[in-house]
């Protein structure tokens, strides 16, 4: 029914908030542990956002699905434990542990996409797939790039292993950006009445911001022997790109929500 589609829309909105707040927590924690002490307060702020998203997810009807509930509960418990110990651990280890939990959250997103989309109509299914399987993975790759890069910039140097990791992440960002723009344009062209005119401008902004962030990372992080770029500026550029991705995510989710009012 349309009420099922509305409930699904609310859950995937909160799932997005959990991914974004966890990414920010990871990035700010990594920056702090590498010497940027001003990021500590931002870590605590983003931890609160994580708890808020988890609490809302647990209160929504989709949480009654046993598979979704079990995975979400395991993730939330692990995040709480990691938050308590993060400042006492090695930066690389903490980054890896947050990344692993975000990967588990993205796997949960795919489960939501498959199980939850059974209650969606064809347009909702297509959009849910793009949101769960393209936009969130893309935001995670940008988040890794932002978080790892900020730690490197804060320290002022990059290792060979970090350079290889960053280059692999940049490739994924470029590839997923192209896929996102292609997929959304195809869906929007067949459902023009459901999307507003700002969508194309948003997609163009994403393409430009993604290209600029990759170029900047190459020039100021990958290729420099002595890195002197501003840590906060680098982090904020990644945040701006993720914000554009979330704008498109929210546009798609609003289409699903609005569409739920028109059928039974």
């Amino acid at each position: 029914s349309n009420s099922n589609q509305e409930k699904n829309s609310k859950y995937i909105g909160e799932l997005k908030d959990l991914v974004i707040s966890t990414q920010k927590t990871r990035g700010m924690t990594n920056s702090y542990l590498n010497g940027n002490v001003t990021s500590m307060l931002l870590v605590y702020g983003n931890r609160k956002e994580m708890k808020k998203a988890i609490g809302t997810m647990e209160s929504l009807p989709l949480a009654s699905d046993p598979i979704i509930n079990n995975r979400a509960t395991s993730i939330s418990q692990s995040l709480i434990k990691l938050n308590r110990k993060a400042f006492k651990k090695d930066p690389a280890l903490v980054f890896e542990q947050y990344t692993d939990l975000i990967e588990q959250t993205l796997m949960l997103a795919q489960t939501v996409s498959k199980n939850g989309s059974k209650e969606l109509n064809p347009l909702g299914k297509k959009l849910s797939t793009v949101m769960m399987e393209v936009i969130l993975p893309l935001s995670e790759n940008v988040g890794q790039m932002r978080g790892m890069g900020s730690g490197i910039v804060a320290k002022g140097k990059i290792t060979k292993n970090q350079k290889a990791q960053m280059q692999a992440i940049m490739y994924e960002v470029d590839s997923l950006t192209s896929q996102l723009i292609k997929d959304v344009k195809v869906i929007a062209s067949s459902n023009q009445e459901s999307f507003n005119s700002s969508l194309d401008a948003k997609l163009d902004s994403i393409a430009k911001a993604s290209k600029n962030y990759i170029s900047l990372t190459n020039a100021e992080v990958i290729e420099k022997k002595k890195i002197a770029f501003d840590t906060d500026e680098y982090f904020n550029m990644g945040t701006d790109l993720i914000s554009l991705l979330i704008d498109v995510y929210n546009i798609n989710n609003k289409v699903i929500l609005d569409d739920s009012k028109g059928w039974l």
Side-chain angles (χ1 to χ4, degrees):
S1 73
N2 57 357
S3 63
N4 288 333
Q5 178 152 316
E6 181 179 359
K7 292 169 186 174
N8 184 283
S9 172
K10 290 179 180 178
Y11 192 91
I12 61 180
E14 294 301 325
L15 186 59
K16 171 261 299 178
D17 289 344
L18 176 59
V19 170
I20 297 304
S21 56
T22 307
Q23 289 169 341
K24 288 183 178 180
T25 299
R26 175 188 59 191
M28 288 296 179
T29 300
N30 191 47
S31 185
Y32 169 76
L33 292 175
N34 278 286
N36 185 14
V37 295
T38 60
S39 61
M40 178 184 279
L41 289 177
L42 295 172
V43 171
Y44 287 117
N46 284 300
R47 286 180 183 178
K48 288 182 180 178
E49 293 300 315
M50 291 165 65
K51 290 179 182 178
K52 180 181 176 183
I54 289 169
T56 305
M57 285 166 60
E58 290 174 346
S59 71
L60 293 172
L62 202 57
S64 62
D65 182 300
I67 297 176
I68 291 173
N69 182 59
N70 287 341
R71 291 186 181 179
T73 299
S74 175
I75 291 166
S76 64
Q77 290 174 345
S78 297
L79 284 171
I80 290 169
K81 289 179 183 178
L82 180 55
N83 284 343
R84 289 174 182 163
K85 300 177 180 178
F87 285 160
K88 299 177 182 178
K89 294 189 173 188
D90 174 74
L93 177 61
V94 173
F95 192 92
E96 181 182 334
Q97 289 176 332
Y98 274 119
T99 299
D100 179 62
L101 288 171
I102 293 170
E103 290 296 330
Q104 290 183 40
T105 308
L106 294 177
M107 290 174 66
L108 171 62
Q110 292 192 12
T111 301
V112 171
S113 177
K114 290 178 173 61
N115 289 22
S117 66
K118 294 174 184 176
E119 309 296 342
L120 302 180
N121 72 356
L123 174 59
K125 288 179 180 179
K126 290 177 183 177
L127 290 176
S128 178
T129 298
V130 172
M131 292 159 70
M132 299 290 103
E133 300 181 24
V134 182
I135 299 180
L136 287 185
L138 175 53
S139 78
E140 165 54 4
N141 277 279
V142 176
Q144 285 190 38
M145 190 171 160
R146 175 186 65 181
M148 186 179 294
S150 295
I152 292 166
V153 173
K155 205 157 192 175
K157 58 183 179 180
I158 186 170
T159 66
K160 288 183 178 180
N161 184 50
Q162 287 173 328
K163 186 178 289 190
Q165 287 179 293
M166 289 290 284
Q167 288 172 328
I169 294 167
M170 288 157 59
Y171 173 83
E172 288 298 321
V173 169
D174 186 51
S175 177
L176 285 169
T177 298
S178 298
Q179 184 179 344
L180 167 63
I181 292 170
K182 177 184 175 182
D183 289 352
V184 173
K185 283 189 173 183
V186 167
I187 295 170
S189 66
S190 303
N191 301 272
Q192 294 181 9
E193 69 284 354
S194 298
F195 294 87
N196 61 47
S197 57
S198 68
L199 181 61
D200 282 340
K202 288 285 184 185
L203 294 175
D204 289 343
S205 295
I206 287 171
K208 183 177 179 181
S210 178
K211 182 179 179 181
N212 288 344
Y213 202 38
I214 290 171
S215 296
L216 174 77
T217 302
N218 259 322
E220 300 295 338
V221 181
I222 302 293
E223 300 298 335
K224 288 285 180 73
K225 291 184 179 179
K226 188 175 181 180
I227 301 167
F229 199 76
D230 182 75
T231 307
D232 292 333
E233 184 177 349
Y234 184 83
F235 191 92
N236 291 338
M237 284 186 69
T239 300
D240 290 344
L241 174 53
I242 291 174
S243 294
L244 289 170
L245 296 174
I246 297 310
D247 284 346
V248 173
Y249 186 102
N250 290 338
I251 287 171
N252 289 350
N253 204 18
K254 185 177 184 301
V255 171
I256 293 175
L257 186 60
D258 290 344
D259 184 63
S260 73
K261 300 170 184 175
W263 58 286
L264 289 171

